[in-house]
Amino acid sequence: PEAEIGLIGLGVMGSNLALNIAENASTIAVANRTTEKVDAFHAEAGALKDRIVPCRSLEALVGAIRAPRPIIIMTKAGAAVDEQIAALRPLLQAGDIIIDAGNANFHDTVRRSKELEDSGLTFIGMGVSGGEEGARHGPSIMVGGTAEAYQRVEPMLKAIAARFEGEPCVAHLGADGAGHFVKTIHNGIEYADMQMIAEIYGIMRDGLGMAPAEMADIFARWNEGPLNSYLIDVTAKTLAAKDAETGGALVDQILDSAGQKGTGRWAAIEAQMIGVAATTIESAVAARILSAMKAEREAAEQVFGPIELLDASIDRAGIIDQLEQALLAAKIAAYAQGFAVMAGASADHGWDLPLATIARIWRAGCIIRSQFLDEIAATFEAESGTANLLVTPRFSAMMRDSSVGLRKIVALSATSGIPTPALSAALAYYDTYRQARGTANLIQAQRDFFGAHGFERLDGSGPHHGQWNA
Ligand code: NDP
């Protein structure tokens, strides 16, 4: 056998990952359900052709790899992965490693790990982020499985991962589903980041009447400051892009209805299951759902009428500065929520998710990569037991300053009817989290009134019941 590793699934991600492995790690055997794609892929591999072994069946694939064989499955998530595992099992030997690198639901990864536990095979669930470009030139890789399994694939993964200041963006994050869970939360944060940026764009477009090219310049400028990140850069570039047909801004020709494959939704669902408030992520998921209801929104605008631009005499430069602050404050809240979900999952699922390491491997390669994550990594390194990013010295100081802008922007949007679901959720989270005396005493009173649920008293004694009808 010529290859040291195999890969099944030559779609967008699989073909790029295979080229990355061939170039930076080892000779790779590849297979795909539609076999014509294997030949086409090999034919187009250029200088890497000799490092790729095209295989027209799983038998050929297994036969082409030296044992013990690591085999990556990079197909559509769900049933396709179960089918590939079932087809591979009789062909493999004890010691071989199956690596699911797609966007699996982590519950499936936990189940698959259990199913393969006594088979002699090793199973790794691996989250890969960075899209097409990341897969080809260096993704961020989140690994779940046994420590021993990770050790066996670590050199290969380090060779293909993105690097942040020389450090590879790959780590073992815990047993079974830990890697896919962290990828899920990554995607939830990604949804929040994108939604918050879109809301800022909405204020610029519908409140300030700005043209895309003008906005592109502002996002490009913000990319030089504390918001510096891949997504801000992508925003500046997409806003600047021209439409070949009309000559106008391309973004103006795109239907305002966003798709989703469900990983952001899983993040919101898991947060709820664990009992951690991730309201900014939830709002971002809900906003995508509402975005897809184009016809209903058009009908509703007929009922309620359109919103109006802000008064032209408004201090535009001042608002643009506040928008930058608002985005930063909301980003802090969104990341605080995402990391709180991961901390909660550690307790719930028996993982010990290394929060500083997660922030470190997200600094390059993945979609949410940013300078900001370097600061999060440093914060969790300095304060490993921290309850919430919001209250750490570094982020509380940033929040104190930037929340002023967030508050002004949310207030301005609310009074003018511009929707800011994620920004508003971030502000409400911050205000609720920092309020020592909340209002749930009334909720407890109501619950006791109608359901005799009982309540604790402030003096610590309890449970008590009120004499509500006396
Ligand atoms: P593509 O649609 O480009 O490719 C899908 C691949 O899955 C093809 O090779 C296809 O084979 C194969 N496949 C689909 N169904 C089956 C089946 N029932 N049995 C066997 N093979 C099957 O998808 P992507 O490359 O974009 O995504 C692959 C995985 O990576 C997914 O889990 C996705 O969520 C995840 N991912 C995607 C990212 C992205 O930016 N696109 C980023 C990170 C993760 P065939 O050619 O025969 O149809």
Side-chain angles (χ1 to χ4, degrees):
E2 318 156 63
E4 284 156 56
I5 187 165
L7 181 141
I8 302 169
L10 291 171
V12 174
M13 291 297 283
S15 54
N16 282 291
L17 206 60
L19 292 172
N20 184 349
I21 293 170
E23 184 170 62
N24 298 304
S26 59
T27 301
I28 183 168
V30 297
N32 192 62
R33 176 180 61 178
T34 313
T35 48
E36 297 79 67
K37 272 199 202 164
V38 178
D39 299 330
F41 171 72
H42 188 234
E44 288 161 17
L48 293 171
K49 232 171 155 178
D50 294 344
R51 305 264 290 170
I52 293 167
V53 186
C55 303
R56 302 186 124 249
S57 68
L58 291 188
E59 287 80 357
L61 179 90
V62 170
I65 312 165
R66 266 196 293 281
R69 309 170 180 85
I71 298 182
I72 297 174
I73 300 179
M74 196 38 145
T75 60
K76 191 174 165 204
V81 175
D82 288 311
E83 286 162 24
Q84 293 309 306
I85 294 174
L88 277 172
R89 269 184 86 157
L91 306 174
L92 296 179
Q93 299 167 338
D96 289 346
I97 310 172
I98 299 180
I99 305 166
D100 176 14
N103 271 335
N105 184 309
F106 85 95
H107 292 291
D108 285 339
T109 307
V110 172
R111 169 179 59 77
R112 289 171 186 139
S113 301
K114 277 216 174 63
E115 285 169 1
L116 289 170
E117 217 164 49
D118 300 320
S119 66
L121 301 175
T122 297
F123 187 67
I124 288 179
M126 182 170 102
V128 176
S129 177
E132 191 173 355
E133 181 70 16
R136 178 65 184 88
H137 298 291
S140 168
I141 305 176
M142 296 147 252
V143 184
T146 63
E148 190 228 336
Y150 177 65
Q151 273 173 11
R152 292 170 58 195
V153 292
E154 189 178 8
M156 186 270 293
L157 295 179
K158 284 195 163 155
I160 64 164
R163 283 172 186 270
F164 183 88
E165 292 173 359
E167 215 183 305
C169 291
V170 54
H172 177 233
L173 303 177
D176 48 61
H180 278 138
F181 181 86
V182 171
K183 174 73 205 291
T184 297
I185 303 307
H186 167 282
N187 284 27
I189 295 174
E190 175 185 316
Y191 271 47
D193 256 341
M194 292 172 72
Q195 174 62 25
M196 295 183 306
I197 294 171
E199 290 173 16
I200 298 289
Y201 156 75
I203 296 165
M204 290 174 165
R205 186 188 68 184
D206 302 330
L208 302 175
M210 288 169 63
E214 211 182 336
M215 301 178 211
D217 291 343
I218 290 170
F219 277 100
R221 195 180 79 215
W222 289 353
N223 202 33
E224 306 298 315
L227 289 172
N228 170 267
S229 60
Y230 176 66
L231 279 171
I232 293 287
D233 184 40
V234 165
T235 306
K237 288 178 176 151
T238 46
L239 285 166
K242 293 270 176 263
D243 175 32
E245 279 175 40
T246 61
L250 180 55
V251 71
D252 284 341
Q253 303 302 322
I254 299 177
L255 181 70
D256 50 318
S257 170
Q260 56 170 319
K261 288 195 195 153
T263 47
R265 177 176 23 187
W266 293 343
I269 291 171
E270 290 310 324
Q272 290 275 355
M273 294 302 287
I274 294 165
V276 174
T279 50
T280 314
I281 295 171
E282 287 170 18
S283 325
V285 177
R288 285 212 193 176
I289 295 170
L290 280 160
S291 83
M293 297 163 58
K294 175 78 171 168
E296 275 185 60
R297 290 188 288 110
E298 278 172 338
E301 188 171 297
Q302 293 299 316
V303 175
F304 297 108
I307 59 164
E308 285 170 19
L309 284 182
L310 297 169
D311 195 289
S313 65
I314 201 157
D315 170 19
R316 292 165 65 93
I319 289 180
I320 287 165
D321 286 345
Q322 286 165 8
L323 288 173
E324 184 182 15
Q325 293 299 306
L327 196 47
L328 182 62
K331 194 173 162 92
I332 296 170
Y335 281 67
Q337 292 179 358
F339 277 89
V341 175
M342 292 191 285
S346 290
D348 254 45
H349 296 289
W351 302 318
D352 187 14
L353 296 179
L355 301 183
T357 302
I358 292 167
R360 273 210 307 273
I361 63 170
W362 286 352
R363 291 177 304 179
C366 67
I367 302 298
I368 65 171
R369 62 185 181 256
S370 66
Q371 204 53 46
F372 184 78
L373 276 159
D374 194 36
E375 297 187 44
I376 295 182
T379 299
F380 280 121
E381 254 147 44
E383 297 161 65
S384 55
T386 192
N388 190 305
L389 213 51
L390 278 181
V391 293
T392 58
R394 189 188 297 242
F395 285 94
S396 60
M398 274 163 78
M399 196 63 180
R400 229 176 259 120
D401 289 345
S402 56
S403 62
V404 178
L406 178 59
R407 196 173 299 289
K408 289 198 170 133
I409 289 302
V410 168
L412 179 75
S413 307
T415 49
S416 49
I418 300 171
T420 54
L423 296 174
S424 305
L427 179 64
Y429 174 74
Y430 167 61
D431 283 338
T432 309
Y433 187 78
R434 76 201 182 106
Q435 188 183 38
R437 185 175 184 226
T439 54
N441 48 328
L442 181 63
I443 290 173
Q444 287 299 79
Q446 292 163 337
R447 295 176 74 223
D448 191 52
F449 185 102
F450 63 69
H453 290 287
F455 53 81
E456 303 279 329
R457 291 180 57 92
L458 283 172
D459 59 17
S461 68
H464 287 269
H465 289 285
Q467 305 296 311
W468 302 113
N469 297 313

